[in-house]
Amino acid sequence: MPNVAVVGTQWGDEGKGKIVDLYTEGADVIARFQGGNNAGHTLVVKGRKTVLHLIPSGILHDNKICIIGNGVVVDPVVFIQEIEELQKGGLFPPNTKLYISEKAHLIMPYHKLLDVAREASSTGKKIGTTGRGIGPAYEDKVARTGIRVCDLYDETRLLEKLRRSLTEKNFLLTGLYSRTPLTADEIAAEYLDYAQKIKPYVADTSMIIDNAMKSGKKILFEGAQGAHLDIDHGTYPYVTSSNTVAGNAACGSGIGPNAINNVVGICKAYTTRVGEGPFPTELTDEIGQQIQRVGQEFGATTGRPRRCGWLDMVLIRQAVRTSGITALAITKMDVLTGLDIIKICVGYKSDSGELTHAVPANIDLLTQYQPVYEELAGWKEDILQARNIADLPANARKYVQRLEELSGARINLVSVGPGREETIILHDPFRD
Ligand code: GDP
Ligand code: IMO
Ligand code: MG
């Protein structure tokens, strides 16, 4: 039974939410494995828009199991809020189960304060984070001082861990960032309250996934962010604090790597980036503004405008390699409608005129590189109603075909609008 991982191939916001919602139809278990509520995954079903930050994008379907894996960092405030909002909107189906790993690390109030204070400080280099405490929470996880979901059910241990953490965090908050100190008792009281609210959802999620696999169920792993925000393989230091590549689907959900059979990379038909960092194909002209306006490129989490540019196949090829992508899903094709010429970056040229097809580890070099473009003719016809590849204008088909050639990965799907049904499906990753 094939299991599928869905990951971003760019700098996030490729449309993972829409595709995970769509692929949930053929899945039984949908698991988030990394990141936290820095993610903003948008689903549009029957014209109704839902933005999820933490809960897997399979939640709108009935009879599914949705999992927040051990690799996710969880802000319990957001988790509780998201459940309440779904319930209020009648969007939490009666037979769908939601579980959160007892091993997941918690985002604590000091993580959020430190994230924001660091970004605001003139001494630190601004990353343009979402300010949700993601980096500081992962730091504590790796430093072995993190507080996990399971710690919420042992009050003595929770207080002890909090006191130990606060010795250091308060020193930073007051001494370095001129903020007021926090008290362990107050945080413990707040988090013990959350503990009761989230208790029905807490489970050994690795075991749940394993049991589901043993009984022939299909698993869909939902990535957050994108390949170039990966802590190892991204444009460091302008990255997020987790591994976003598909390999982490195994680690972040507690199963072995051989359980993942297909990896679908979500690739926007152009490129966007939120926050700081190099972006070789960025367009600061009229065309960039048009893409931003038509594509409504504003962050689903922070509302910040997304920087826009041409599709960069150097980035996509690297994503195919680092995530073992077996197929691509092209999204937001409709946004390119009306452009006379569409450019695809096929390589970079260095200052000395040397051509390269690799993203350099030293991002200062990337900032100096000039993109080398291939130009394709655009199309004028509205493609929102296209449901088969043959419905696309010839030039749109050529664009898709060229992406397939340049990426070396099969195209599984072309998305022509935000709605679930606004999709051209070429292959089903659970079948072939
Ligand atoms: P994610 O973080 O990868 O899930 O992506 P986001 O939800 O942050 O951003 C993608 C945005 O594009 C959302 O507003 C989607 O509703 C929208 N979207 C997804 N696919 C398409 C598409 O094919 N066409 C258009 N016009 N919008 C799309
Ligand atoms: P989804 O899942 C786009 C970016 C931030 C910042 C950097 C580090 O919706 O695709 P962080 O708060 O993670 O420490 O910020 O990463 N970033 C995203 N950009 N989409 C996301 O998620 C992102 N999550 C983080 O803007 O540049
Ligand atoms: Mg997003």
Side-chain angles (χ1 to χ4, degrees):
M1 239 0 128
N3 299 319
V4 176
V6 165
V7 291
T9 58
Q10 294 155 318
W11 282 297
D13 304 327
E14 298 91 348
K16 297 175 292 294
K18 165 175 169 165
I19 307 305
V20 169
D21 167 66
L22 189 76
Y23 283 167
T24 294
E25 188 70 45
D28 301 291
V29 179
I30 304 88
R32 274 277 309 265
F33 56 89
Q34 48 72 231
N37 60 306
N38 48 349
H41 295 178
T42 314
L43 326 179
V44 179
V45 181
K46 295 192 184 109
R48 187 169 177 188
K49 180 166 144 177
T50 306
V51 181
L52 297 162
H53 300 287
L54 209 43
I55 292 178
S57 298
I59 194 74
L60 302 186
H61 297 251
D62 204 2
N63 286 309
K64 307 289 171 186
I65 296 176
C66 287
I67 283 179
I68 297 177
N70 56 277
V72 177
V73 284
V74 177
D75 186 333
V77 187
V78 175
F79 181 61
I80 294 163
Q81 247 174 25
E82 219 158 74
I83 293 172
E84 283 173 0
E85 273 165 29
L86 285 168
Q87 283 170 339
K88 226 188 303 163
L91 293 172
F92 200 132
N95 303 309
T96 283
K97 301 255 184 299
L98 173 65
Y99 296 109
I100 179 170
S101 168
E102 55 198 359
K103 290 183 183 168
H105 280 249
L106 290 164
I107 297 181
M108 306 302 291
Y110 42 84
H111 293 141
K112 292 182 257 188
L113 289 172
L114 283 171
D115 191 1
V116 174
R118 264 186 209 158
E119 287 280 290
S121 104
S122 52
T123 51
K125 208 172 187 182
K126 207 167 155 357
I127 303 288
T129 72
T130 58
R132 303 298 195 260
I134 306 296
Y138 276 117
E139 282 168 34
D140 278 2
K141 171 177 179 171
V142 177
R144 295 159 293 186
T145 55
I147 296 178
R148 302 192 295 172
V149 169
C150 58
D151 296 325
L152 293 174
Y153 304 97
D154 181 340
E155 193 172 336
T156 315
R157 186 185 164 84
L158 176 67
L159 262 169
E160 192 187 297
K161 289 188 96 170
L162 268 172
R163 288 204 179 102
R164 216 178 316 140
S165 271
L166 282 177
T167 311
E168 193 183 44
K169 307 300 180 200
N170 278 337
F171 182 74
L172 286 175
L173 283 171
T174 57
L176 195 58
Y177 299 118
S178 310
R179 302 294 201 275
T180 43
L182 303 174
T183 70
D185 288 338
E186 269 173 3
I187 299 177
E190 184 187 339
Y191 274 64
L192 287 169
D193 181 42
Y194 302 147
Q196 291 320 306
K197 292 192 172 128
I198 70 173
K199 202 170 181 180
Y201 306 99
V202 177
D204 180 341
T205 49
S206 159
M207 193 84 90
I208 292 173
I209 300 177
D210 192 53
N211 286 337
M213 288 195 298
K214 282 180 178 147
S215 58
K217 303 259 193 270
K218 287 181 261 181
I219 322 295
L220 176 60
F221 298 95
E222 175 180 11
Q225 291 83 52
H228 299 280
L229 288 172
D230 182 281
I231 186 76
D232 282 287
H233 303 291
T235 45
Y236 193 89
Y238 299 100
V239 292
T240 191
S241 297
S242 63
N243 282 113
T244 59
V245 294
N248 199 21
C251 207
S253 53
I255 49 105
N258 53 344
I260 304 161
N261 311 90
N262 279 328
V263 180
V264 180
I266 312 300
C267 171
K268 209 182 267 193
Y270 48 94
T271 313
T272 62
R273 172 161 211 167
V274 198
E276 308 300 315
F279 184 170
T281 62
E282 183 168 13
L283 289 166
T284 48
D285 61 2
E286 185 89 343
I287 296 178
Q289 285 163 19
Q290 180 181 328
I291 292 175
Q292 190 187 68
R293 190 180 60 250
V294 178
Q296 294 178 25
E297 293 296 352
F298 296 90
T301 297
T302 58
R304 288 179 290 176
R306 296 173 181 152
R307 299 154 65 192
C308 298
W310 296 119
L311 183 56
D312 184 340
M313 292 311 287
V314 181
L315 298 184
I316 304 302
R317 275 196 299 262
Q318 176 165 313
V320 168
R321 173 162 48 87
T322 54
S323 269
I325 286 169
T326 51
L328 290 174
I330 308 298
T331 59
K332 305 195 87 160
M333 272 290 283
D334 54 303
V335 176
L336 297 182
T337 299
L339 292 172
D340 293 326
I341 295 287
I342 301 172
K343 295 189 187 181
I344 307 175
C345 171
V346 292
Y348 303 137
K349 214 168 226 177
S350 71
D351 272 356
S352 59
E354 211 176 310
L355 187 68
T356 173
H357 293 97
V359 187
N362 176 353
I363 53 148
D364 288 342
L365 288 176
L366 187 58
T367 318
Q368 292 157 26
Y369 284 172
Q370 291 304 316
V372 176
Y373 288 116
E374 200 174 284
E375 293 190 1
L376 271 75
W379 60 91
K380 303 282 178 211
E381 301 88 334
D382 185 354
I383 61 170
L384 279 168
Q385 303 305 324
R387 299 294 176 265
N388 293 298
I389 199 78
D391 298 338
L392 288 179
N395 286 347
R397 283 204 305 274
K398 277 186 198 153
Y399 189 67
V400 174
Q401 194 189 336
R402 192 66 189 126
L403 302 194
E404 189 159 64
E405 287 161 5
L406 288 167
S407 66
R410 175 174 94 172
I411 309 293
N412 252 9
L413 167 165
V414 179
S415 173
V416 293
R420 194 189 267 171
E421 69 291 349
E422 289 170 325
T423 314
I424 298 168
I425 295 172
L426 298 164
H427 303 279
D428 176 354
F430 286 108
R431 287 176 191 277
D432 60 335

